[in-house]
């Protein structure tokens, strides 16, 4: 267990330092902007890592592209739009809230609402079935007849002993 923990701790810096020294911009503000943008862009090779974390060649190319666009004077939004235009919206780790992604964003809430409605309907149906299967109270005539039968039955049982 200790060996696994040690191996994971030693691998952490390597994963966090995917940006190579030759990629780092001289201007610290531009570099910070580049890092922010890179953390929101998906590595299309790794798919579950940002290009900031990935060691893939394509991720490196994208990091360089982001830095070139920033040096050219683009805003963060313009850089992201440029990359999306070239690679599609899949490159965004967090998709935009737009008409073509409404289902993606709203599906969890819709599924939760559907589940709550289904559970309510099932429990309400079960309660109705339990209520329907419960015996109805005896009418006055039925109660009188039952009392008469019980009275006759007790007379017969005492006499038979």
């Amino acid at each position: 267990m200790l060996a696994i923990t040690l191996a994971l701790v030693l691998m952490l810096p390597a994963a966090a330092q995917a940006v190579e020294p030759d990629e780092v911009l001289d201007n610290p503000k531009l570099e910070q902007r580049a890092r922010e943008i890179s953390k929101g862009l998906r590595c299309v090779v790794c798919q579950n890592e940002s290009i900031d974390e990935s060691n893939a060649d394509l991720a490196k190319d994208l990091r360089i592209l982001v830095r070139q666009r920033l040096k050219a004077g683009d805003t963060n939004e313009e850089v992201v739009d440029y990359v999306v235009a070239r690679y599609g919206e899949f490159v965004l780790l967090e998709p935009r809230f737009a008409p073509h992604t409404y289902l993606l964003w709203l599906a969890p809430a819709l599924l939760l609402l559907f589940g709550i409605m289904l559970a309510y309907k099932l429990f309400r149906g079960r309660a109705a079935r339990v209520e329907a299967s419960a015996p109805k109270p005896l009418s006055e005539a039925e109660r009188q007849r039952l009392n008469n039968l019980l009275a006759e039955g007790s007379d017969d049982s005492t006499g038979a002993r």
Side-chain angles (χ1 to χ4, degrees):
M1 183 67 180
L2 181 62
I4 293 173
T5 305
L6 183 60
L8 289 174
V9 169
L10 292 175
M11 289 185 339
L12 258 176
Q17 300 295 333
V19 177
E20 296 174 11
D22 62 327
E23 297 174 29
V24 178
L25 296 172
D26 294 332
N27 184 334
K29 288 184 181 182
L30 278 182
E31 180 60 28
Q32 181 60 34
R33 286 177 54 203
R35 289 291 180 105
E36 288 173 16
I37 294 169
S38 296
K39 288 178 183 174
L41 297 176
R42 178 190 321 270
C43 173
V44 293
V45 176
C46 307
Q47 296 188 3
N48 285 331
E49 287 183 331
S50 71
I51 63 170
D52 198 49
E53 301 165 333
S54 175
N55 288 321
D57 290 336
L58 184 58
K60 179 178 180 171
D61 294 342
L62 283 172
R63 288 192 302 266
I64 291 170
L65 175 68
V66 165
R67 284 162 174 77
Q68 287 172 348
R69 300 299 302 179
L70 287 173
K71 279 197 246 181
D74 287 358
T75 65
N76 291 11
E77 293 79 23
E78 290 172 335
V79 173
V80 170
D81 290 342
Y82 181 81
V83 174
V84 168
R86 288 184 78 181
Y87 295 95
E89 286 206 28
F90 178 74
V91 79
L92 298 175
L93 280 172
E94 188 174 305
R96 296 174 175 157
F97 190 70
H100 63 280
T101 60
Y102 285 163
L103 184 60
L104 175 69
W105 282 100
L106 300 176
L110 292 173
L111 287 173
L112 179 64
L113 182 63
F114 176 74
I116 290 170
M117 288 173 28
L118 182 65
Y120 174 76
K121 186 175 180 178
L122 288 174
F123 287 126
R124 197 172 117 227
R126 176 180 277 173
R129 285 192 305 273
V130 167
E131 187 177 306
S133 67
K136 296 177 185 169
L138 297 175
S139 67
E140 191 56 43
E142 291 170 328
R143 188 172 288 128
Q144 185 60 41
R145 184 166 178 239
L146 179 62
N147 287 338
N148 290 341
L149 288 172
L150 289 173
E152 286 176 16
S154 66
D155 291 343
D156 290 342
S157 65
T158 56
R161 284 187 181 179

